[in-house]
């Protein structure tokens, strides 16, 4: 059994239970695990079976409970699942960690469609995994060839569906493919489509267009594929080129603003409330933006921290003021805001709004 812990400042290395101190009672094993102190607030745990070779081993997980021995904060969850999971043979499960007064993420089923030319004929010879990355972390390496669904084959094209359950990843930004084989083979991959199972859109498109040759001198190939473009809800799947042109023209009428929010370094400075901002320029004002997806931290607006947000809005001209505030949600929601720095990408200008209260 292996565990990976995700915190607001990053994730732990895989923690194997093999050599950990354990205390065993009836149907229950307690492990002592030391996590890095700079991991931040835990928000997700991933559990999995280490060995990919042994297809016979199974593990039935009934209940999971963890306690911080310093603060005595405790989280528990009933799992009742057996690894590997059926029907898609996944050897990993993950779940969000819920703490009092902290917003919890949800578990999402993702549909990953692989478009290729010859994977189906080579699948018994090759091992292929994908790790999906987003603003809320990653899925870890998930096997793509356990049990394929919605298989479609043509003369020169084929596609198949892979189902991945994961704690929601936020905005997706890249997929890392890992291809390995004990024999010589060649995989020709065209592209990947990725979306949430319950939603038609957005569809994240990852263009690959590469033939991967695995042989004795190169038994393993890893490739990082950034997102190529996103098909939003008002676009048609079969008209991608036209949609890209539309997105480009829309983007030319928008300006990207990078907003850096500095929370003061004094007692009680942080807040868990929902923060919003409005920008005012000499040509126009923006709509109300909720500042929820910090580029640095899972839990934004903590004491002494800087959180960066990116927004796209119409061109506002030269900025002269902002409105920033919050909804008072949560215990002791008062927030000490030091300052806000805003960079206008189109004008190459930086504006600083001091608050210090």
């Amino acid at each position: 059994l292996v565990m990976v812990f995700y915190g607001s400042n990053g994730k732990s290395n895989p923690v194997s239970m093999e050599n950990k101190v354990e205390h065993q009672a009836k149907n229950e094993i307690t492990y002592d695990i030391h996590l890095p102190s700079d991991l931040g607030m835990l928000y997700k745990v991933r559990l999995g079976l280490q060995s990919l070779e042994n297809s016979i081993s199974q593990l039935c997980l009934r209940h999971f409970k963890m306690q911080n021995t310093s603060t005595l904060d405790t989280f528990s969850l009933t799992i009742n699942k057996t690894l590997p999971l059926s029907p898609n043979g996944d050897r990993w499960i993950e779940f969000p960690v819920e703490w009092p007064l902290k917003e919890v993420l949800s578990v999402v089923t993702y549909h990953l469609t692989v478009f290729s030319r010859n994977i189906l004929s080579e699948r018994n010879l090759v091992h292929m995994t994908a790790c999906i990355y987003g603003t809320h972390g990653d899925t870890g390496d998930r096997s793509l060839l356990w049990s394929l669904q919605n298989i479609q084959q043509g003369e020169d094209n084929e596609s198949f569906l892979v189902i991945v359950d994961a704690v929601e990843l936020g905005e997706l930004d890249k997929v890392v493919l890992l291809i390995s084989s004990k024999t010589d083979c060649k995989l020709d991959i065209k592209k990947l489509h990725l979306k949430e199972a319950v939603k038609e859109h957005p569809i994240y498109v990852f263009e690959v267009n590469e033939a991967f040759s695995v042989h004795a001198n190169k038994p393993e190939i890893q490739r990082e594929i950034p997102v190529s473009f996103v098909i939003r809800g008002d676009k048609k799947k079969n008209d991608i080129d036209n949609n890209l042109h539309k997105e480009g023209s829309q983007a030319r009428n928008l300006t990207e603003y990078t907003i850096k929010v500095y929370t003061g370094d004094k007692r009680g400075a942080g807040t868990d409330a929902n923060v919003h901002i409005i920008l005012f320029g000499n040509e126009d004002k923006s709509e109300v933006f909720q500042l929820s997806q910090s580029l640095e931290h899972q839990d934004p607006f903590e004491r002494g921290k800087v959180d960066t947000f990116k927004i796209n809005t119409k061109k506002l001209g030269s900025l002269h003021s902002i409105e920033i505030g919050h909804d008072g949600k949560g215990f002791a929601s008062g927030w000490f805001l030091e300052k806000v720095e805003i960079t206008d990408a189109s004008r190459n200008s930086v504006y600083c709004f001091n608050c210090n209260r």
Side-chain angles (χ1 to χ4, degrees):
L1 179 65
V2 177
M3 299 186 193
V4 182
F5 297 85
Y6 289 74
S8 53
N9 297 330
K11 68 176 181 177
S12 72
N13 291 324
V15 181
S16 172
M17 301 297 105
E18 194 173 4
N19 299 315
K20 299 297 169 192
V21 179
E22 61 177 63
H23 315 281
Q24 193 155 355
K26 185 180 179 183
N27 297 328
E28 182 181 297
I29 304 176
T30 302
Y31 297 99
D32 294 338
I33 298 171
H34 297 276
L35 295 177
S37 58
D38 58 356
L39 206 57
M41 175 70 72
L42 293 184
Y43 70 91
K44 176 171 109 171
V45 176
R46 184 154 48 88
L47 298 173
L49 296 177
Q50 191 166 36
S51 171
L52 289 170
E53 301 295 326
N54 185 354
S55 60
I56 300 169
S57 61
Q58 284 192 325
L59 181 66
C60 185
L61 298 166
R62 293 289 180 222
H63 198 79
F64 178 90
K65 178 180 178 181
M66 67 177 175
Q67 184 177 59
N68 183 325
T69 55
S70 301
T71 64
L72 300 184
D73 287 342
T74 303
F75 165 76
S76 63
L77 177 74
T78 299
I79 299 177
N80 285 334
K81 289 183 179 177
T82 299
L83 291 174
L85 299 174
S86 58
N88 66 337
D90 199 343
R91 288 175 169 264
W92 292 94
I93 59 170
E94 55 181 54
F95 46 84
V97 179
E98 187 172 3
W99 302 114
L101 304 179
K102 296 290 181 183
E103 192 172 348
V104 65
L105 300 173
S106 57
V107 176
V108 171
T109 298
Y110 289 96
H111 279 182
L112 173 63
T113 305
V114 180
F115 296 85
S116 63
R117 288 191 175 90
N118 67 335
I119 289 182
L120 296 175
S121 59
E122 300 284 335
R123 63 181 172 182
N124 294 326
L125 304 174
V126 72
H127 182 63
M128 183 176 170
T129 66
C131 182
I132 307 164
Y133 288 81
T135 50
H136 295 158
D138 61 77
T139 61
D141 291 335
R142 302 297 187 94
S143 177
L144 297 187
L145 303 177
W146 273 98
S147 176
L148 313 183
Q149 303 186 31
N150 287 25
I151 295 175
Q152 298 182 23
Q153 284 184 282
E155 285 186 21
D156 191 40
N157 296 299
E158 62 186 27
S159 67
F160 58 87
L161 174 68
V162 180
I163 297 174
V164 177
D165 288 326
V167 172
E168 62 181 292
L169 294 165
E171 285 287 318
L172 306 182
D173 53 33
K174 67 178 179 182
V175 172
V176 175
L177 288 179
L178 185 65
I179 300 164
S180 61
S181 177
K182 292 180 178 178
T183 184
D184 292 2
C185 65
K186 187 176 182 179
L187 294 187
D188 197 339
I189 304 174
K190 297 172 65 178
K191 62 182 177 178
L192 311 173
H193 280 192
L194 191 56
K195 72 179 191 73
E196 292 185 27
V198 297
K199 298 178 182 177
E200 284 298 314
H201 298 92
I203 301 172
Y204 293 82
V205 180
F206 301 81
E207 296 281 4
V208 183
N209 294 319
E210 186 174 347
F212 300 90
S213 294
V214 186
H215 45 78
N217 294 330
K218 191 187 276 188
E220 185 175 278
I221 298 174
Q222 181 172 304
R223 194 71 80 245
E224 182 177 302
I225 303 147
V227 64
S228 302
F229 55 90
V230 184
I231 304 173
R232 302 292 177 182
D234 58 344
K235 297 176 173 61
K236 295 186 178 179
K237 287 185 242 180
N238 59 357
D239 200 8
I240 290 173
D241 291 335
N242 187 39
N243 292 327
L244 280 172
H245 176 73
K246 282 183 187 175
E247 284 186 350
S249 61
Q250 287 173 351
R252 282 190 288 275
N253 296 323
L254 296 177
T255 298
E256 182 184 79
Y257 292 93
T258 301
I259 301 173
K260 282 186 175 293
V261 180
Y262 293 74
T263 298
D265 190 9
K266 52 174 63 185
R267 187 176 179 187
T271 187
D272 290 326
N274 298 305
V275 174
H276 70 268
I277 193 169
I278 306 173
L279 281 52
F280 296 84
N282 62 358
E283 296 177 14
D284 209 338
K285 74 170 187 175
S286 75
E287 58 267 55
V288 180
F289 286 96
Q290 298 296 325
L291 300 180
S292 56
Q293 301 289 334
S294 168
L295 297 182
E296 289 90 358
H297 306 108
Q298 174 75 17
D299 191 12
F301 314 118
E302 292 297 296
R303 172 179 174 173
K305 301 289 187 185
V306 181
D307 294 284
T308 305
F309 306 86
K310 288 185 182 291
I311 64 171
N312 286 287
T313 187
K314 55 200 168 186
K315 292 180 179 176
L316 306 174
S318 178
L319 298 185
H320 57 74
S321 59
I322 61 171
E323 176 188 310
I324 189 165
H326 65 74
D327 60 1
K329 181 184 174 186
F331 176 74
S333 60
W335 178 38
F336 190 93
L337 173 62
E338 185 178 316
K339 64 179 177 178
V340 178
E341 286 181 357
I342 302 177
T343 302
D344 180 343
S346 67
R347 302 167 69 95
N348 198 24
S349 302
V350 181
Y351 305 88
C352 185
F353 300 94
N354 292 304
C355 181
N356 289 315
R357 64 176 184 268

